[in-house]
Amino acid sequence: MRNKNKFANIYLVLVFVVLYAPIFYLMYYSFNSGGTMRDFEGFTLDYYREVFQDTRLIIIVINTLVIALLSSAIATLIAIFGALAIHHIRSRRAKNTLLSLNNVLIVSPDVIIGASFLILFTIAGIKLGFTSVLLSHVAFSIPIAVLMILPHLQDMSPTLTDAARDLGATRRDVLTKVILPIIKPGIFSGFFMALTYSLDDFAVTFFVTGNGYSTLSVEIYSRARQGVSLSINALSTLIFLFTILLVVGYYFLNRRKARPGAAIAEPAAELGVPR
Amino acid sequence: MQSKGRPYYLIPYYLWIALFVIAPVLLITYYSLFDLEGNLTLDNYANFFTPVYMRMMLNSFWYAFLITLFSLLVAYPAAYLLTRTKHKQLWLLLIILPTWINLLLKAYAFIGIFGTFGPINNFFDLLGIGEQQILFTGFSFVFVSVYIFIPFMILPIYSALEELNHSLVDAARDLGASGWTTFRRVIFPLTISGVRSGCMAVFIPALSLFMITRLIAGNRVITLGTAIEQHFLVTQDWGMGSTVAVFLIVIMALFMLLTGRSRKRGAA
């Protein structure tokens, strides 16, 4: 039994090592004065300086954050109503149809989403750039946010809304004072998932950015295609640290609030899982 | 709230479905009927059935299959072992964390790792095997893709395993089933829904990984995703690109229908 345990631990450690190796590899070479990812010559912070002096890059980082925050907020708002719509439909068939339509963008390959949105924006006469990127991010974030909110609506006891109505609450009161507070955790995880989708997206954005406007992943792609440049390493180190901060913050925020642990298992269980 | 008319606040959601779910599929289908000069034609479809595209499609599905298979082989034991650790939530968080690093950065890291002077080749040198061409091969494409998808495979399997009723496993053991039999006859069938979700979460995106084929496989591997990207953004042949997309959509729909049916049975 002990032997078996040891084996298990080695396997897990190996998985973790492989998962993190590339990330630490990038971080390590970001300090290399040699300018390559080959031999480590000496310690330097030059590439970090380069990143902070690169105004174009900083603008792109800001673009990325603006798009992510704005699109997630809009998408979550629309998704709340979408989830309500799906929840309130009585007919099983209509419900399933709506749910399937909701999930189309989750299960479609990114290239198809990108290509079809490119056609859509071209036909609609929307100039490729900020607007088209924002609209696409809103569009592909809505379904995942709906899926995060829906289980909370289903868990909600229908007697609660009935009671509220009986006590004379208006439709609006029921929504804002009963339903929304109950599904709040779902709304937050929906927003958070939308945020990660938006920050991580490359393929769709790549199709709809056009010239002159860029997000971080598109920029990294074009820089990486030109070959190795250690400022990308420095940038990824910064992004990694920022991500850890976000995650740790999110973890503790949720931990303090609700059932310990459940907070993380929940988005995890939903992540990219078509239903 | 339930039935009185259509509340106006649902409009944005229905508008979204119409504009960003239904319209794109129709537009793709419509565009697939036009050639480069804008003439209405079925040539694109005829083109698709030539050996070039057929090979590309087989290639694409073969690689997606390999990526899914290897992800599953690595992820299942990992998910199983994760459920047995203390501080599960923390370990799970550590599995999810790399997915929040942009996948292009991870792919970029592999350019260095697999490169001619990278650590893997240094290691090979040490072993006396000598330098190998790792970057720009099918192997590196599959490896990097599996690397990127593993967390997405682990998560659904992990949650399926978490929901597993442990008394069933104990019962099987008490009735004399060996460890392997218990796994094959009890644990695996009961977690098949997680496996299925994981496979879907990996297989479909694996068909459209054009950026990794470009960065890591150096255009050696051409998938349907690469073809669509090429037609839309490089050669500007939207018609042909749309045709490829139409086939991809049809195949996926069939795929979903097949897996969806069996899932419904499992859920009922």
Side-chain angles (χ1 to χ4, degrees), chain A residues 26 220 232 235-236 239, chain B residues 101-110:
Chain A
L26 283 185
I220 294 166
I232 301 183
L235 184 65
S236 59
I239 293 175
Chain B
I101 308 294
N102 201 298
L103 80 103
L104 288 159
L105 285 177
K106 289 179 279 188
Y108 166 77
F110 278 103

Side-chain angles (χ1 to χ4, degrees), chain A residues 11 18-20 25 38 81-82 102 107 109 111 139 165 171 196 200 202 217 229 233 240 247 272-274, chain B residues 1 4 9-10 13 16 74 81 89 94 97 100-102 104 108 112 117 147 197 201 204 208 210 229 252 263:
Chain A
Y11 184 80
V18 173
L19 269 182
Y20 281 89
Y25 182 80
R38 229 182 273 175
F81 297 123
N102 183 68
V107 296
V111 262
R165 295 296 294 267
R171 255 191 191 187
T196 49
D200 210 36
F202 164 70
S217 45
S229 135
N233 295 46
F240 184 67
V247 171
V273 182
Chain B
M1 185 109 199
K4 269 191 220 148
Y9 54 73
L10 296 181
Y13 185 69
W16 167 76
V74 177
L81 296 174
Q89 296 302 331
L94 284 175
L97 192 61
W100 283 326
I101 308 294
N102 201 298
L104 288 159
Y108 166 77
F117 305 101
Y147 168 82
S197 311
I204 293 167
S208 68
F210 69 90
E229 188 253 352
M252 262 176 35
R263 191 166 26 167

Side-chain angles (χ1 to χ4, degrees), chain B residues 124-141:
Chain B
F124 280 164
D125 255 355
L126 220 66
L127 290 180
I129 305 172
E131 267 158 28
Q132 304 285 326
Q133 175 69 33
I134 314 171
L135 208 58
F136 310 134
T137 60
F139 165 78
S140 60
F141 172 59

Side-chain angles (χ1 to χ4, degrees), chain B residues 12-255:
Chain B
Y13 185 69
Y14 288 117
L15 208 63
W16 167 76
I17 286 189
L19 278 179
F20 288 99
V21 178
I22 297 172
V25 178
L26 296 178
L27 283 174
I28 285 264
T29 319
Y30 178 73
Y31 266 76
S32 70
L33 299 173
F34 291 90
D35 66 7
L36 262 176
E37 278 87 44
N39 305 314
L40 196 67
T41 165
L42 282 174
D43 280 0
N44 292 328
Y45 285 86
N47 265 340
F48 190 80
F49 286 100
T50 55
V52 182
Y53 281 96
M54 286 291 117
R55 198 173 311 131
M56 193 187 289
M57 194 161 88
L58 283 178
N59 209 7
S60 209
F61 277 87
W62 173 240
Y63 274 112
F65 168 75
L66 281 182
I67 292 166
T68 314
L69 180 71
F70 285 120
S71 304
L72 180 62
L73 288 179
V74 177
Y76 201 103
Y80 182 74
L81 296 174
L82 272 178
T83 57
R84 312 230 120 183
T85 51
K86 277 185 227 162
H87 312 295
K88 291 181 222 187
Q89 296 302 331
L90 181 70
W91 294 118
L92 194 63
L93 182 68
L94 284 175
I95 291 275
I96 306 170
L97 192 61
T99 65
W100 283 326
I101 308 294
N102 201 298
L103 80 103
L104 288 159
L105 285 177
K106 289 179 279 188
Y108 166 77
F110 278 103
I111 297 179
I113 293 174
F114 281 161
T116 325
F117 305 101
I120 304 289
N121 264 326
N122 282 341
F123 182 66
F124 280 164
D125 255 355
L126 220 66
L127 290 180
I129 305 172
E131 267 158 28
Q132 304 285 326
Q133 175 69 33
I134 314 171
L135 208 58
F136 310 134
T137 60
F139 165 78
S140 60
F141 172 59
V142 173
F143 187 93
V144 174
S145 309
V146 169
Y147 168 82
I148 283 167
F149 287 129
I150 275 189
F152 299 96
M153 186 64 102
I154 290 182
L155 292 174
I157 297 177
Y158 173 89
S159 39
L161 279 165
E162 277 285 276
E163 280 166 21
L164 182 75
N165 185 348
H166 256 276
S167 49
L168 290 172
V169 178
D170 294 339
R173 296 310 296 264
D174 286 348
L175 293 168
S178 68
W180 172 241
T181 314
T182 315
F183 173 74
R184 201 166 52 93
R185 306 291 291 269
V186 181
I187 302 178
F188 191 74
L190 284 174
T191 52
I192 194 80
S193 65
V195 171
R196 199 176 286 128
S197 311
C199 288
M200 300 262 284
V202 171
F203 187 82
I204 293 167
L207 287 172
S208 68
L209 278 174
F210 69 90
M211 49 288 196
I212 295 182
T213 60
R214 290 252 199 275
L215 288 178
I216 300 291
N219 292 343
R220 289 283 172 94
V221 180
I222 294 179
T223 62
L224 291 177
T226 331
I228 296 174
E229 188 253 352
Q230 182 84 16
H231 282 310
F232 268 90
L233 299 178
V234 184
T235 60
Q236 299 281 329
D237 186 356
W238 286 17
M240 195 61 222
S242 299
T243 310
V244 179
V246 165
F247 277 96
L248 198 48
I249 292 172
V250 169
I251 293 160
M252 262 176 35
L254 288 175
F255 189 73

